């Protein structure tokens, strides 16, 4: 009886009020603490089970919907209820955009200390099948069994097996994922050994590439290329040792912003090409005429934007620490473009002054000033 009463106390009725970081619904418990509820939408009234409690907040799982909020929809992905690969598919797309804008505005106000309105968010030209690069996790379970996909919702230690039905990759990447799953052999024997691997697939103009992280050894890259028709290049990323080309073509040709690029290994490009093109157009509209401007493009990646700005009359210095990306960017060097291979934090001050500084840092953000 005592256990039953304890379980009952772990369940509570909550009205969801907003969307927090990672697309998690946010409500308030009767005692005033904030509670985070994945897969819930503003306006939902749910009966939830509390799974984690702290002094100021709790985390729960919605078990029963008593009312549904006005922005809720049926997720397009059939695996959404159990997969942690996406977070906002249960919201109408307009609601997704609105809450993304709220998240950006709150971050600027809270972290930056600035008084700003929530910015409008431009819709992506494609709501699904937009990623030109996707990373999956492969785990060997023993007895030749393999699961490969994304982490399970609510259980980061488990891997959910996800095939080409996933709605994140571009069609070409989804097809490559199907071929790879069929071609890697029993127990994924053609891939490097080890219990868990990270597999990054990338689309090229004429086939795709695979980069493997984790595990040990190289597997059998030559046989893997023969078994996977759409695979053109294979790389190995070893922690502390960099990226090695294992087999196939040393680079992938890709069309990007009207440019032909040779993509190697882990070189970074925005994963949503059409959205990136829209961002570049917006930037150009804000900056206006470029003739004679001195521009610093920090974290310039493969240099596609820096090259465009230089062609339109700006004097551009691109800064990029990744050797592969910097090598790609240097192919566009000329009278108006120079590429510096270095950490932005190490060289930025010495390259000033400039009329315009563009910052497009990696996901971890800018380094803390010292």
């Amino acid at each position: 009886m005592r256990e039953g009463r304890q379980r009952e106390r772990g369940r509570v009725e909550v009205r969801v009020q907003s969307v927090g970081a990672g697309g998690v619904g946010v409500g308030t418990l009767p005692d005033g603490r904030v509670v985070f509820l994945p897969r819930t939408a503003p306006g939902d009234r749910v009966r939830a089970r509390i799974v984690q409690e702290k002094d100021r907040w709790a985390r729960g799982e919605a078990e029963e919907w008593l009312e549904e909020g006005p922005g809720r929809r049926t997720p397009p992905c059939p695996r959404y209820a159990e997969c942690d690969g996406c977070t906002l598919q249960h919201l109408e797309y307009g609601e997704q955009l609105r809450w993304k804008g709220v998240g950006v505005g709150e971050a600027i106000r809270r972290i930056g200390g600035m008084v700003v309105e929530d910015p409008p968010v431009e819709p992506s030209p494609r709501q699904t099948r937009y990623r030109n690069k996707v990373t999956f996790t492969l785990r060997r379970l023993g007895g030749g069994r393999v699961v490969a996909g994304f982490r399970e919702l609510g259980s980061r230690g488990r891997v959910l097996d996800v095939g080409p039905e996933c709605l994140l990759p571009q069609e070409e990447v989804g097809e490559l994922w199907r071929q790879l799953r069929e071609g890697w052999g029993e127990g994924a024997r053609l891939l490097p050994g080890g219990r868990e691997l990270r597999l990054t697939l990338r689309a090229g103009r004429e086939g795709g590439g695979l980069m493997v992280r984790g595990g040990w050894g190289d597997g059998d890259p030559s046989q893997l290329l023969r078994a996977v028709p759409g695979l053109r290049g294979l790389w190995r990323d070893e922690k502390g040792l960099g990226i090695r080309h294992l087999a196939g073509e040393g680079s992938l040709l890709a069309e990007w912003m009207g440019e032909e690029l040779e993509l190697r290994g882990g070189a970074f490009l925005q994963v949503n090409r059409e959205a990136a093109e829209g961002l570049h157009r917006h930037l150009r509209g804000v900056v206006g005429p470029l003739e004679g401007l001195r521009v610093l493009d920090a974290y310039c990646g493969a240099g596609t934007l820096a090259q465009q700005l230089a062609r339109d009359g700006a004097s551009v210095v691109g800064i990029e620490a990744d050797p592969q990306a910097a090598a790609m960017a240097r192919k566009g060097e000329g009278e108006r473009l120079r590429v510096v291979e270095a950490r932005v934090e190490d060289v930025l001050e010495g390259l000033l002054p400039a009329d315009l500084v563009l910052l497009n840092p990696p996901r971890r953000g800018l380094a803390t000033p010292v």
Side-chain angles (χ1 to χ4, degrees), residues 267-269 297-307 318-322 324-330 339 360:
F268 176 77
L269 285 178
D297 186 3
Y299 311 96
C300 71
T304 52
L305 177 59
Q307 292 174 33
I319 311 171
E320 176 56 50
D322 179 74
Q324 291 187 332
M328 294 163 56
R330 277 197 294 268
V339 176
N360 186 15

Side-chain angles (χ1 to χ4, degrees), residues 202-210 225 230-235 243-255 260-267 269 324-325 327-328 331:
R202 162 173 269 163
R205 191 174 64 188
E206 298 175 351
L210 168 66
L225 281 173
L231 191 60
R232 292 291 180 267
L234 180 60
W235 290 266
I243 297 173
R244 289 188 296 115
H245 175 233
L246 295 182
E249 299 174 8
S251 61
L252 300 175
L253 290 179
E255 297 288 343
E260 182 177 85
L261 296 179
E262 292 185 20
L263 300 177
R264 297 186 179 91
L269 285 178
Q324 291 187 332
M328 294 163 56
K331 291 188 175 182

Side-chain angles (χ1 to χ4, degrees), residues 257-290:
M257 309 286 189
E259 303 287 338
E260 182 177 85
L261 296 179
E262 292 185 20
L263 300 177
R264 297 186 179 91
F268 176 77
L269 285 178
Q270 297 289 343
V271 297
N272 187 331
R273 183 181 66 183
E274 292 167 314
E277 290 173 346
L279 178 61
H280 284 198
R281 287 194 297 270
H282 174 75
L283 173 65
R284 297 291 305 279
V286 170
V287 173
L290 291 164

Side-chain angles (χ1 to χ4, degrees), residues 138-156:
L138 179 145
R139 180 171 291 173
R140 293 181 171 98
L141 303 179
R145 294 182 301 144
V146 171
V147 293
F150 297 114
R151 302 292 180 179
E152 281 192 9
L153 179 65
S155 180
R156 297 290 295 171

Side-chain angles (χ1 to χ4, degrees), residues 321-345:
D322 179 74
Q324 291 187 332
M328 294 163 56
R330 277 197 294 268
K331 291 188 175 182
E333 282 188 319
E335 182 180 350
R336 289 196 176 98
L337 173 61
R338 178 166 65 97
V339 176
V340 176
E341 183 180 330
R343 294 176 66 250
V344 171
E345 294 79 8

Side-chain angles (χ1 to χ4, degrees), residues 8-318:
E8 188 64 27
R9 283 200 297 268
R11 286 162 172 79
V12 65
E13 185 177 309
V14 178
R15 174 76 71 176
V16 180
Q17 300 156 338
S18 62
V19 176
V24 177
V26 181
T28 305
L29 295 175
D31 61 11
R33 287 180 299 165
V34 172
V35 61
F36 301 103
L37 298 166
R39 300 301 194 257
T40 60
D44 284 351
R45 185 167 64 90
V46 302
R47 185 168 287 115
R49 179 171 63 93
I50 303 303
V51 298
Q52 184 181 11
E53 294 191 72
K54 299 292 184 179
D55 291 340
R56 294 188 176 184
W57 58 270
R59 191 175 303 277
E61 295 177 354
E63 294 188 330
E64 180 183 0
W65 267 258
L66 306 175
E67 294 179 31
E68 291 191 355
R72 170 173 287 280
R73 69 172 183 179
T74 299
C77 177
R79 311 299 302 278
Y80 183 69
E82 51 189 340
C83 180
D84 201 28
C86 299
T87 57
L88 289 174
Q89 283 194 18
H90 62 290
L91 297 181
E92 295 286 353
Y93 192 55
E95 284 292 286
Q96 294 183 31
L97 299 179
R98 184 169 76 87
W99 285 107
K100 287 178 180 179
V102 169
V104 172
E106 288 181 346
I108 294 174
R109 290 187 290 271
R110 176 173 54 87
I111 301 173
M114 302 170 63
V115 179
V116 297
E117 299 292 329
D118 296 334
V121 179
E122 290 293 320
S124 169
R126 302 178 68 176
Q127 296 182 32
T128 61
R129 302 287 187 189
Y130 60 85
R131 291 188 67 103
N132 57 61
K133 184 178 76 169
V134 181
T135 297
F136 298 98
T137 299
L138 179 145
R139 180 171 291 173
R140 293 181 171 98
L141 303 179
R145 294 182 301 144
V146 171
V147 293
F150 297 114
R151 302 292 180 179
E152 281 192 9
L153 179 65
S155 180
R156 297 290 295 171
R158 295 175 62 87
V159 176
L160 180 71
D161 200 57
V162 175
E165 74 276 8
C166 179
L167 297 179
L168 282 175
Q170 289 180 355
E171 288 82 356
E172 306 94 312
V173 179
E175 171 60 16
L176 182 59
W177 179 231
R178 182 192 68 79
Q179 293 179 15
L180 180 62
R181 290 168 59 90
E182 293 180 356
W184 59 38
E186 183 180 0
R189 61 181 180 82
L190 300 183
L191 293 171
R195 182 169 183 263
E196 185 167 301
L197 304 174
R198 297 279 284 170
L199 308 176
T200 299
L201 297 176
R202 162 173 269 163
R205 191 174 64 188
E206 298 175 351
L210 168 66
M211 185 166 64
V212 184
R213 296 182 178 90
W216 46 265
D218 294 337
D220 192 337
S222 296
Q223 188 174 343
L224 184 65
L225 281 173
R226 291 192 293 269
V228 184
L231 191 60
R232 292 291 180 267
L234 180 60
W235 290 266
R236 186 83 165 94
D237 185 359
E238 295 179 301
K239 189 174 182 179
L241 299 177
I243 297 173
R244 289 188 296 115
H245 175 233
L246 295 182
E249 299 174 8
S251 61
L252 300 175
L253 290 179
E255 297 288 343
W256 188 262
M257 309 286 189
E259 303 287 338
E260 182 177 85
L261 296 179
E262 292 185 20
L263 300 177
R264 297 186 179 91
F268 176 77
L269 285 178
Q270 297 289 343
V271 297
N272 187 331
R273 183 181 66 183
E274 292 167 314
E277 290 173 346
L279 178 61
H280 284 198
R281 287 194 297 270
H282 174 75
L283 173 65
R284 297 291 305 279
V286 170
V287 173
L290 291 164
E291 189 68 38
L293 287 185
R294 295 168 299 174
V295 178
L296 286 181
D297 186 3
Y299 311 96
C300 71
T304 52
L305 177 59
Q307 292 174 33
Q308 290 180 352
L309 298 177
R311 280 198 302 269
D312 289 340
S315 296
V316 185
V317 177

